[in-house]
Amino acid sequence: MAVVFCLYLAAVAVLCFAHADKVPDMSDKWWGIPSDKAAHFLMFLPFTPLSYMTFRRKNGSFWRKMLVLTTMLLIGAMIAFLTEIVQDRLSSRSYETKDLLADGIGLITGYAAIASGLLIKKSRKAY
């Protein structure tokens, strides 16, 4: 899983820092949402699940797993923020608050999916 996570991080870095004319053109909107915001959402959606699956302990308690998951969410938020800061320093890119918001929504959606799975697993063990 660590290799998959590293490849994912490399792909995010390329997409975030590539010269703007090297990134493929996309249609203006996907389902009524600006395509660049949808791309940011989709880029950060897998971060929380992949990082959690890479760094979790299989035999940890529910609360320990939630702590790891929450830590991965916070690290993802820091990475999203830092990518925007770096983009602001690049001549071909810029800082956009809406990109950061789309990144955050992707991170939270991935977090919610894994947290829901953990809650369901915990409730099944209770019976």
Side-chain angles (χ1 to χ4, degrees), residues 14 18 60 62 65 70 79 85 93 105 120:
V14 167
F62 169 78
K65 289 177 182 179
T70 302
I79 290 171
I85 296 297
R93 304 303 280 248
I105 293 170
I120 289 168

Side-chain angles (χ1 to χ4, degrees), residues 1-13 43-55 72-73 75-76 79 107:
M1 188 49 80
V3 171
V4 172
F5 184 59
C6 287
L7 290 172
Y8 160 76
L9 288 177
V12 168
M43 250 188 332
F44 278 87
L45 176 66
F47 181 87
T48 310
L50 285 176
S51 62
Y52 172 76
M53 288 186 283
T54 301
F55 296 107
M72 294 301 112
L73 173 69
I75 290 170
I79 290 171
L107 288 164

Side-chain angles (χ1 to χ4, degrees), residues 100-116:
L100 189 57
L101 180 62
D103 296 344
I105 293 170
L107 288 164
I108 290 168
T109 303
Y111 176 92
I114 297 296
S116 297

